[in-house]
Amino acid sequence: MVLKAKSVFLFLFIYHLSFCQTTYIESVIANECIVCTNEKKVKVSQNLWHQAHLAFEKKKYEKTIELLLKDVESNVCLKKLLKGNVFFRLKLYDKSLMLFKDEVLLNHRKYHLAALKGISEYYLVKNKDSAVIYYNRILNEKNLPVRLRNEVYEGIAYVNVTEEKFDEAHFFYEKLLSFYKKEQDFLSLGRTYTNLGNSYFEQYKDNKAKKYLDSAYVVSKVTNNQKLRSRIAYNLYLVSEALKEHKEAVQYLKEYNILQDSIQTEKTIWKIAEQKEAFNLEKKQVEIDQKTKQRNVFVVFSLVILLLLLAIFWFYKKLQLKHQQIGILNEELKETNALKNQIFSIVAHDLRSPVALLKQKFQLQTVNEEDETITIDKNVVSIIDSLSFLLDNLLSWSLSQSNLLHVEKDWFPLLPVVKQIEHQYKSLLADKEIVFKIENLYSVLLFGDMELFKIVVRNCLDNAIKFTPKGGEITISGVAESEFFKLIIQDSGTGIPEDVLKTLFELNAKKAQKDTQGRKSSGLGLHLVKSMIELNNGTIQIQNNPRGGTNVNISVPYKNIA
Amino acid sequence: MEKIKILILEDSLEEANILQEALKDSYTIVGVATSYNEAVAFYHIHKPDLAILDIFIEGEREGTRFATYINENSPIPILFLTSARDKITFSAAKIENPYSYLLKPVDPFEIKFTIELAFEKFANEVGQLSTKEEASIKINEELLIKKKDCLFKIAKKDVYYVVADDKYCRVHTKDMQFLIQKTLKSFLEDFADSFIRTHRKYLVNKHEIERINIADYNIVLKNGVSVPLSQRHKKDVLKEFNILK
């Protein structure tokens, strides 16, 4: 606000742009705001230019600068214009001049008038003659806006008054008066009357001054602008005093005081309102902060969840890969397993069958002895026998190891099984001159898989014969117990050393015992016997007979028949 | 008194020969069929007592098919021949129950026992023959008798009379007698329609009675043998023969 008073008496001299009237520059700046002109629907909070020019209008200059710095969307010239005005109001005149005199701004089609106005205002402060030059430059422009013209007139008039060129000043004031009257702009009218009054007062033409001030007083009452009214009242008081109309002077002084008071009150109310607003703003800020905090927490939380999901997904992928690998390995395993089974079946059929066939041939040959085309060495028969026996054992063992063994449990007679095995070993028994006895096995049925049981008895008898010396005795007898039938294979052989007895059923070549002919046994037989007897729900026990030899006790579920 | 009649279904000549070699002394082989149709024909002509069937004939499961045929007509014990003790083969053969099986190549001694077992299973009397030295079981209308490791059968009509002897029975045919491990009572239960009790210890075939001497309390059979008639059973016997009174 620029208030100038030359005289000691004069309280004020009113220049333009006071009393909350929008100046030309302000209007230019506001016109560039898309929010205020409703060009586009934009959120108020997002448009920095809008906020900046509002701040400027509210005289919050620092905030305006801050907002201008943030604003990158608006025109550079426009920003310079506003910035210059801010600096001007902050009385940083040189800085403002630098901005107004910017080449680009001065040549700008839209803003150059505003820039010129800014420069002229600068000179109004610094060098009034230069100001007049710029004012004239503005007046020479074409299509001059009315508001700007009026402002320039007022400026020129003001300069003339200060330079005591009253006539020129009055010329412009009169021009303005006629215009304002036409426009019915009472505020400006009041201001111009006051200025005229002041001018006459300056010339000591107190009566004329009083006349204009009275007009101003009348007009100002219409505007209800307290500031203007208070100033007019004060000026009237001074003029009345000068005219020695003390009564009136007192009255005007009183009115002035009243108006001053009300202005003061208004100011206080405004201040309180401002404070309230500030408080609300702070509150809002806190709320916003809180919301931001919540939002931040939410963002962090969702990020964590996202990471977690990613991690899970990653692990899942990894697991899937592993499953795939396992699947492939499984396939391979299945293939190798199938191959193994095939090998077993090859052993079973392609190897075992020819040997058994060979054995059968020789057996039939011995029956038809009268043919005598081939003399059969008994050794050959026994070698084939043991070969076939070993093959059978091997096959059964590998089948049992791979769970391929066919187990079919049923009731089966004991006696023929033993007799059959006896028959198989007849020649071997005769060779060793062993007395073989079967006792107490009549009318007994055992429960289990007969073929597996045959393997058990055959292996036990094989062992017994191996370890029984020439002329010895082997007895197979039975004892019926409550649930199990105990088959006892008793020999008169060498017996088994105690330490070997403990680990008898393990597959271990080291502890293999030599038989009566000095041959080592593999130990496969007993190992097989144990697993077979367990498959048959039975138990096996091997102990040394105190009277010499070994007792093998096999217990299997049984029943008696009539 | 007859040998057991056996029908063989086997497409391998060599195997068939071995089987015949092993069986010919103790059994009558009524035929070696090499196909299903042939087997069916032999079955009807010779009425065998037992069938030995190879499961696979020319790669097809003709053995089991024939077994089904037998069971649907007049069932006899069946013995399956197989080259492997594997699960698939047996689960296929298992449909004919009860079954016995014989692993190829056959052991001549083992086969005798397996035949016994097949009969036992057929009569649902496992162990009745094989766990004893002398025994008998009833197969259809015949008596299967085991004597010193030999099996033979007697038709019901060939039995003249049966005498109880402690826990056993002595069975008398036209020209033979043998002991079986069976009580007189269970024997009578098996053959109630053609035998009659004449004495506490005697069972007589009704159709073999020649003459009843009521005064002497004896019965003369068609082969000239006289068996005692007790006071207690006289009424029952006379009731059967009231025409001769």
Side-chain angles (χ1 to χ4, degrees):
Chain A
M1 191 185 308
V2 183
L3 296 171
K4 284 284 150 184
K6 192 194 170 193
S7 156
V8 201
F9 299 107
L10 265 180
F11 171 62
L12 47 84
F13 188 83
I14 304 161
Y15 178 53
H16 61 88
L17 59 85
S18 43
F19 314 122
C20 305
Q21 262 188 323
T22 317
T23 65
Y24 171 69
I25 291 175
E26 278 173 357
S27 74
V28 167
I29 288 165
N31 267 336
E32 291 303 320
C33 176
I34 52 167
V35 177
C36 296
T37 53
N38 275 332
E39 260 178 44
K40 277 185 197 169
K41 288 210 169 170
V42 185
K43 274 189 183 171
V44 175
S45 58
Q46 278 176 1
N47 193 293
L48 288 163
W49 179 254
H50 178 70
Q51 288 183 348
H53 86 78
L54 279 186
F56 176 70
E57 279 163 26
K58 283 181 184 169
K59 292 165 193 163
K60 289 173 180 168
Y61 301 122
E62 272 156 33
K63 193 160 184 206
T64 313
I65 296 286
E66 198 185 305
L67 286 164
L68 275 177
L69 281 174
K70 281 187 197 165
D71 186 6
V72 286
E73 285 173 20
S74 303
N75 188 298
V76 182
C77 292
L78 197 62
K79 274 160 75 180
K80 274 183 182 160
L81 186 66
L82 181 55
K83 212 170 173 185
N85 277 293
V86 170
F87 284 142
F88 184 80
R89 300 229 181 140
L90 289 170
K91 298 190 177 166
L92 300 164
Y93 297 120
D94 293 336
K95 274 191 176 177
S96 76
L97 184 68
M98 225 163 70
L99 285 160
F100 290 140
K101 277 198 166 172
D102 186 273
E103 288 265 329
V104 186
L105 183 60
L106 273 175
N107 290 324
H108 198 280
R109 184 176 49 83
K110 263 162 113 184
Y111 311 132
H112 71 289
L113 285 175
L116 285 173
K117 182 76 192 337
I119 294 167
S120 62
E121 238 143 76
Y122 165 80
Y123 284 119
L124 198 62
V125 178
K126 291 285 179 183
N127 183 349
K128 294 198 172 61
D129 292 337
S130 303
V132 174
I133 292 166
Y134 274 98
Y135 280 141
N136 285 326
R137 221 173 122 180
I138 294 167
L139 289 175
N140 286 334
E141 293 281 339
K142 284 173 188 168
N143 300 329
L144 201 61
V146 177
R147 186 181 284 169
L148 180 60
R149 195 197 64 198
N150 290 344
E151 278 175 17
V152 169
Y153 283 170
E154 279 193 43
I156 293 169
Y158 169 71
V159 174
N160 284 334
V161 170
T162 51
E163 287 176 356
E164 303 194 341
K165 293 175 184 168
F166 295 117
D167 289 342
E168 275 175 58
H170 290 177
F171 170 73
F172 285 108
Y173 280 138
E174 288 300 335
K175 255 187 172 178
L176 285 166
L177 273 178
S178 63
F179 180 78
Y180 289 145
K181 271 179 190 164
K182 224 197 263 169
E183 291 285 305
Q184 298 213 323
D185 184 350
F186 295 114
L187 199 65
S188 303
L189 204 56
R191 190 172 66 229
T192 314
Y193 277 134
T194 312
N195 283 343
L196 263 174
N198 287 348
S199 170
Y200 282 112
F201 191 65
E202 208 76 352
Q203 296 166 52
Y204 303 105
K205 292 175 179 169
D206 294 348
N207 280 323
K208 247 190 173 167
K210 176 103 184 345
K211 197 182 124 199
Y212 278 107
L213 284 172
D214 278 339
S215 300
Y217 184 78
V218 172
V219 171
S220 73
K221 277 206 169 164
V222 184
T223 65
N224 207 23
N225 188 313
Q226 289 186 335
K227 235 174 181 176
L228 181 66
R229 280 175 64 193
S230 83
R231 278 166 199 187
I232 291 166
Y234 187 73
N235 282 3
L236 275 171
Y237 149 68
L238 286 178
V239 174
S240 301
E241 192 124 275
L243 290 172
K244 309 232 184 301
E245 288 171 1
H246 297 296
K247 257 188 189 173
E248 249 178 280
V250 169
Q251 229 175 1
Y252 283 127
L253 188 61
K254 267 185 187 167
E255 198 182 337
Y256 166 73
N257 280 335
I258 291 163
L259 283 166
Q260 277 294 303
D261 273 357
S262 74
I263 288 167
Q264 203 60 45
T265 322
E266 208 175 51
K267 266 187 184 167
T268 323
I269 289 165
W270 269 107
K271 233 178 195 170
I272 288 167
E274 239 165 51
Q275 269 175 355
K276 238 182 189 173
E277 203 183 353
F279 178 73
N280 280 341
L281 260 170
E282 214 167 287
K283 224 170 152 186
K284 251 186 190 166
Q285 193 60 43
V286 169
E287 263 174 41
I288 288 165
D289 281 354
Q290 231 165 14
K291 269 185 186 168
T292 326
K293 217 171 165 185
Q294 276 175 356
R295 202 186 53 202
N296 285 349
V297 167
F298 176 73
V299 166
V300 168
F301 196 67
S302 11
L303 262 173
V304 166
I305 285 177
L306 197 76
L307 275 174
L308 212 72
L309 281 174
L310 271 173
I312 288 169
F313 182 71
W314 187 71
F315 276 114
Y316 173 73
K317 274 277 163 196
K318 222 175 169 184
L319 203 72
Q320 217 175 24
L321 205 74
K322 246 182 194 164
H323 273 292
Q324 249 172 11
Q325 282 171 341
I326 288 170
I328 291 165
L329 285 178
N330 242 351
E331 278 303 309
E332 281 174 19
L333 201 66
K334 264 184 195 167
E335 276 172 33
T336 40
N337 218 21
L339 190 70
K340 187 195 69 183
N341 292 349
Q342 209 185 342
I343 288 169
F344 281 148
S345 79
I346 287 167
V347 173
H349 306 133
D350 303 356
L351 197 57
R352 188 181 159 276
S353 302
V355 173
L357 213 61
L358 200 63
K359 188 179 149 192
Q360 183 192 51
K361 278 264 164 74
F362 277 114
Q363 273 174 340
L364 288 173
Q365 223 77 55
T366 46
V367 171
N368 307 332
E369 255 172 291
E370 55 264 41
D371 285 358
E372 283 197 42
T373 43
I374 307 162
T375 49
I376 296 141
D377 190 337
K378 278 205 170 164
N379 264 333
V380 176
V381 178
S382 72
I383 286 166
I384 293 169
D385 266 348
S386 69
L387 181 62
S388 122
F389 174 60
L390 187 69
L391 265 176
D392 274 354
N393 265 1
L394 199 63
L395 177 67
S396 306
W397 179 76
S398 33
L399 284 176
S400 75
Q401 285 299 299
S402 54
N403 285 327
L404 284 173
L405 205 64
H406 175 75
V407 180
E408 183 81 42
K409 286 184 190 170
D410 202 356
W411 291 103
F412 66 90
L414 171 62
L415 183 68
V417 171
V418 177
K419 275 197 168 175
Q420 219 174 302
I421 292 160
E422 182 206 355
H423 181 80
Q424 283 167 350
Y425 282 93
K426 222 163 200 166
S427 63
L428 202 57
L429 287 166
D431 278 353
K432 285 185 102 173
E433 290 164 23
I434 292 168
V435 180
F436 184 78
K437 287 188 217 163
I438 293 176
E439 288 171 1
N440 251 345
L441 301 184
Y442 296 106
S443 301
V444 172
L445 292 185
L446 299 184
F447 189 78
D449 186 294
M450 189 170 71
E451 294 304 322
L452 297 187
F453 188 74
K454 272 186 193 169
I455 292 168
V456 171
V457 177
R458 205 173 148 189
N459 273 286
C460 290
L461 188 63
D462 193 75
N463 278 335
I465 294 170
K466 268 186 196 161
F467 295 102
T468 301
K470 230 174 178 185
E473 202 179 298
I474 294 174
T475 310
I476 298 185
S477 56
V479 178
E481 288 168 348
S482 61
E483 276 177 61
F484 290 90
F485 189 82
K486 189 156 89 180
L487 190 74
I488 305 163
I489 300 161
Q490 189 181 344
D491 65 50
S492 61
T494 46
I496 302 164
E498 283 300 321
D499 57 323
V500 178
L501 208 55
K502 281 173 196 162
T503 57
L504 207 56
F505 294 107
E506 286 166 25
L507 252 184
N508 188 352
K510 280 181 191 166
K511 50 121 186 118
Q513 220 183 338
K514 281 181 182 170
D515 67 11
T516 51
Q517 282 157 345
R519 279 195 297 242
K520 267 190 174 182
S521 77
S522 64
L524 177 66
L526 275 179
H527 181 78
L528 188 64
V529 160
K530 188 157 164 65
S531 53
M532 297 288 148
I533 204 78
E534 275 163 7
L535 278 171
N536 258 0
N537 301 350
T539 57
I540 184 161
Q541 231 185 353
I542 298 183
Q543 52 193 200
N544 283 323
N545 192 331
R547 284 169 289 162
T550 309
N551 275 12
V552 178
N553 301 333
I554 301 164
S555 295
V556 187
Y558 88 109
K559 71 175 176 190
N560 255 319
I561 51 161
Chain B
M1 185 121 147
E2 275 180 69
K3 280 185 186 171
I4 303 295
K5 288 189 283 184
I6 293 176
L7 170 64
I8 297 170
L9 175 61
E10 169 62 82
D11 57 343
S12 153
L13 254 169
E14 200 182 354
E15 290 286 341
N17 282 339
I18 291 164
L19 268 176
Q20 278 181 296
E21 198 66 41
L23 298 172
K24 67 180 181 192
D25 293 340
S26 317
Y27 309 93
T28 309
I29 295 162
V30 294
V32 180
T34 53
S35 71
Y36 173 82
N37 290 335
E38 206 180 345
V40 172
F42 281 144
Y43 169 71
H44 286 295
I45 296 164
H46 299 293
K47 310 239 176 294
D49 301 305
L50 178 104
I52 298 178
L53 312 176
D54 191 349
I55 292 174
F56 290 98
I57 299 292
E58 308 284 350
E60 298 291 320
R61 291 212 174 110
E62 300 284 71
T64 50
R65 192 174 143 220
F66 183 50
T68 313
Y69 181 82
I70 290 171
N71 286 339
E72 282 166 0
N73 287 273
S74 53
I76 54 170
I78 292 160
L79 199 60
F80 283 110
L81 266 178
T82 176
S83 52
R85 272 196 86 195
D86 60 64
K87 282 181 184 174
I88 305 149
T89 320
F90 280 106
S91 45
K94 207 175 167 183
I95 39 172
E96 311 313 328
N97 231 358
Y99 73 93
S100 299
Y101 60 85
L102 199 59
L103 224 56
K104 274 195 214 173
V106 287
D107 182 312
F109 186 81
E110 192 179 347
I111 199 167
K112 283 186 184 174
F113 157 65
T114 315
I115 287 170
E116 273 180 27
L117 196 64
F119 277 113
E120 286 174 352
K121 280 190 175 170
F122 185 77
N124 203 14
E125 284 189 83
V126 175
Q128 197 62 50
L129 294 173
S130 57
T131 64
K132 292 167 185 176
E133 295 287 344
E134 284 188 16
S136 78
I137 51 174
K138 185 192 162 219
I139 303 283
N140 299 333
E141 289 302 294
E142 285 156 349
L143 210 54
L144 192 71
I145 291 163
K146 181 186 178 184
K147 197 171 184 180
K148 287 187 178 131
D149 285 343
C150 281
L151 275 183
F152 44 90
K153 57 167 186 176
I154 302 169
K156 195 168 58 179
K157 58 180 172 50
D158 294 337
V159 177
Y160 277 62
Y161 63 100
V162 184
V163 187
D165 184 355
D166 196 7
K167 280 189 282 182
Y168 305 95
C169 280
R170 194 165 293 276
V171 178
H172 293 259
T173 60
K174 194 176 178 183
D175 43 16
M176 259 190 91
Q177 55 163 294
F178 45 90
L179 205 63
I180 55 169
Q181 203 169 31
K182 207 170 178 141
T183 60
L184 202 63
K185 197 183 166 202
S186 72
F187 198 98
L188 186 61
E189 276 168 12
D190 284 347
F191 300 105
D193 56 335
S194 49
F195 283 81
I196 187 162
R197 200 143 189 182
T198 61
H199 185 266
R200 186 173 56 88
K201 288 175 86 174
Y202 284 84
L203 216 56
V204 174
N205 190 337
K206 292 178 201 169
H207 311 293
E208 299 299 329
I209 293 173
E210 177 76 30
R211 191 171 71 240
I212 302 170
N213 295 326
I214 298 167
D216 297 344
Y217 283 102
N218 68 11
I219 295 169
V220 179
L221 300 179
K222 281 177 179 165
N223 62 352
V225 178
S226 72
V227 295
L229 177 68
S230 71
Q231 185 83 43
R232 192 151 66 95
H233 294 98
K234 190 176 143 191
K235 243 185 195 168
D236 293 337
V237 174
L238 287 176
K239 206 187 271 169
E240 283 281 337
F241 300 96
N242 39 15
I243 306 158
L244 295 169
K245 228 176 193 175

